[in-house]
Amino acid sequence: MSEPLIDVVISQREEQGEAVAVFELKAKDGSPLPAFDAGSHIDVHVSPEMVRQYSLSNDPRQHDAYRLGILNDPNSRGGSLAIHHDFKVGKTVQISAPRNHFPLDLSAERSVLVGGGIGITPMLTMAYTLRDAGKAFELHYCCRTRSSAAFLDELASEFAENVQLHFDDEADEQRFDPIKALAPVADTHVYVCGPSGFMDWVIGSAETAGYDKHNVHFEYFNADIDTSGTAFEVVAQQSGVTVMVGEDQTIVEALSAAGIKVDVSCEQGVCGTCLCDVLEGIPDHKDKFLTEEEREDNDQIILCCSRSKSKKLVLDI
Ligand code: FES
């Protein structure tokens, strides 16, 4: 059963940087919103056909509002464009309760937070939480240019001692250097969010620096995935239907053509909405959602992008 949605009103909107709109959302009936913790995101129902996930970016101790920072990305599939165009102060919007696939480990002595571009948003919630818990942390904010960056005033007023800014077009000395930033220090956890190429670079650097993979945390918000491959058969066990997934088709598309609706949201293998149990066969995982251990178990699959290594997959759907 789908979770009940929450009606919220856009109580504030502020443009920051060159292309970021910062929205404050409050419950339409004035009640407190469900609590959230650092790294959480919500689903935003942009229109009846379009649901997008965005990280919360305010102090998790604030209970009467959620704050989102949304980049108007010309390469997006239309969500951010529609939000920038249509989401005005006073508009009512439906959202999900917060969920967290990117939690903070507060048992670590020290944390290094790395936000690339709009990937700064979950890092803000983490910075508030780490400061509140009295934990040591550094926050690296990497942007193309100073003028494209959002939240600069807040970072300066709240976290001046913890923040290091890095701009691609400024002096070499201030550029982000993963070897320096990720020099191994005992009991340190690394968190990264940003464009997928940037994240791959930071995660790879942390691995090279010798970090245990359990101490490197990340959340992709988009992914450039080639979903094509060899055709295979999918048996939808609960529905009693068998379909062929063509070379240029996703499992979601093949099931939909046979009348089986799969809930999807990002359609890029990053949000987990279309996760399904595998009863038989070996998935060819292409998503950025499952952990390495979960992939190795081969008992779950992300249906919007992953394929099959075996000729047949039996799914619990
Ligand atoms: S719809 Fe987001 S992972 Fe498939």
Side-chain angles (χ1 to χ4, degrees):
M1 205 168 67
S2 10
E3 287 174 42
L5 298 175
I6 305 167
D7 284 336
V8 292
V9 172
I10 298 171
S11 48
Q12 282 181 37
R13 169 175 174 155
E14 185 190 351
E15 313 303 314
Q16 291 198 24
E18 284 160 357
V20 177
V22 179
F23 296 95
E24 182 189 73
L25 311 176
K26 292 197 164 182
K28 192 170 184 184
D29 63 5
S31 57
L33 288 163
F36 69 100
D37 48 12
S40 296
H41 69 273
I42 55 172
D43 290 349
V44 176
H45 289 246
V46 183
S47 70
E49 309 75 37
M50 194 188 285
V51 182
R52 294 288 183 267
Q53 289 75 40
Y54 294 103
S55 295
L56 297 175
S57 67
N58 50 322
D59 185 340
R61 289 174 302 176
Q62 187 180 3
H63 296 302
D64 67 338
Y66 295 150
R67 187 182 62 173
L68 307 175
I70 299 180
L71 174 70
N72 192 356
D73 180 357
N75 299 317
S76 88
R77 293 166 303 128
S80 65
L81 194 69
I83 287 175
H84 272 251
H85 188 264
D86 300 338
F87 279 28
K88 309 251 162 63
V89 171
K91 181 180 170 67
T92 298
V93 179
Q94 288 197 306
I95 61 169
S96 70
R99 285 195 292 273
N100 199 345
H101 301 146
F102 190 33
L104 193 57
D105 185 343
L106 277 174
S107 68
E109 278 301 315
R110 177 174 171 269
S111 302
V112 178
L113 314 178
V114 186
I118 200 61
I120 189 66
T121 49
M123 301 307 163
L124 285 161
T125 60
M126 291 182 177
Y128 280 112
T129 303
L130 288 164
R131 183 180 68 183
D132 195 38
K135 294 287 186 173
F137 73 97
E138 283 172 19
L139 196 172
H140 295 267
Y141 182 19
C142 309
C143 278
R144 245 176 344 97
T145 62
R146 195 174 287 268
S147 57
S148 68
F151 302 109
L152 287 181
D153 291 348
E154 181 172 333
L155 290 169
S157 63
E158 297 284 343
F159 305 111
E161 288 176 8
N162 307 84
V163 172
Q164 294 181 42
L165 302 174
H166 309 279
F167 301 111
D168 292 352
D169 65 342
E170 294 192 15
D172 285 351
E173 312 82 76
Q174 57 80 57
R175 297 253 179 94
F176 181 65
D177 177 355
I179 295 174
K180 205 162 122 202
L182 303 176
V185 175
D187 200 14
T188 296
H189 283 228
V190 176
Y191 298 82
V192 57
C193 184
S196 54
F198 172 82
M199 291 182 62
D200 292 343
W201 176 52
V202 176
I203 294 164
S205 302
E207 279 166 10
T208 306
Y211 279 84
D212 184 302
K213 65 177 191 260
H214 296 106
N215 293 358
V216 180
H217 311 265
F218 44 86
E219 180 166 63
Y220 285 86
F221 52 72
N222 58 30
D224 195 7
I225 298 172
D226 178 6
T227 59
S228 61
T230 316
F232 55 96
E233 186 178 83
V234 162
V235 179
Q237 185 89 311
Q238 286 182 37
S239 318
V241 169
T242 299
V243 296
M244 278 307 289
V245 180
E247 291 177 3
D248 293 318
Q249 214 179 14
T250 65
I251 299 177
V252 167
E253 288 165 352
L255 289 173
S256 163
I260 301 170
K261 184 177 176 304
V262 178
D263 284 339
V264 290
S265 180
C266 71
E267 296 177 72
Q268 294 186 89
V270 297
C271 75
T273 303
C274 62
L275 185 68
C276 180
D277 285 341
V278 175
L279 303 174
E280 202 184 304
I282 304 170
D284 181 7
H285 299 290
K286 289 176 175 271
D287 63 279
K288 299 271 191 188
F289 178 77
L290 293 173
T291 63
E292 211 171 301
E293 284 88 352
E294 287 168 335
R295 285 160 183 270
E296 282 164 9
D297 287 347
N298 279 332
D299 58 0
Q300 297 182 96
I301 185 169
I302 290 291
L303 299 178
C304 66
C305 63
S306 293
R307 303 189 67 82
S308 180
K309 287 183 177 164
S310 48
K311 286 194 172 137
K312 179 166 90 172
L313 272 186
V314 182
L315 304 178
D316 190 15
I317 188 169

